[in-house]
Amino acid sequence: MHLLILHQALQVLKKKLQREGVFREMKLKQHFEKPSEKKVRQQAEAIRRARKAARKRLEREGVM
């Protein structure tokens, strides 16, 4: 019984950490990233977020 509760708690923690981007951040910090590479990556992420938000907005409005 205790193992089941522990397993569920670990799953909840893992999901929360993943939502907050902790795992992605750890992966990025494993090696040095040049400032120019970091800027390019952040711009690409911003574009992806904007496209995703626009797609979701269109779905909510019933266009797609």
Side-chain angles (χ1 to χ4, degrees):
M1 186 68 177
H2 293 297
L3 288 176
L4 182 62
I5 295 170
L6 179 62
H7 180 68
Q8 289 173 337
L10 285 173
Q11 292 297 336
V12 170
L13 176 63
K14 182 178 176 183
K15 194 176 216 179
K16 182 176 181 179
L17 291 174
Q18 192 163 4
R19 253 186 276 126
E20 292 175 358
V22 173
F23 294 127
R24 192 170 57 89
E25 189 176 324
M26 284 174 32
K27 184 179 175 185
L28 287 171
K29 289 185 183 259
Q30 286 179 353
H31 65 282
F32 178 74
E33 186 176 27
K34 289 173 33 181
S36 60
E37 293 171 344
K38 184 176 181 180
K39 183 179 179 182
V40 170
R41 178 182 53 79
Q42 287 176 339
Q43 287 175 341
E45 288 175 357
I47 291 169
R48 266 194 304 276
R49 279 193 307 272
R51 285 183 181 158
K52 183 177 181 179
R55 192 169 51 245
K56 284 188 174 267
R57 189 173 51 250
L58 288 174
E59 286 177 3
R60 273 196 307 270
E61 293 172 357
V63 176
M64 291 182 79

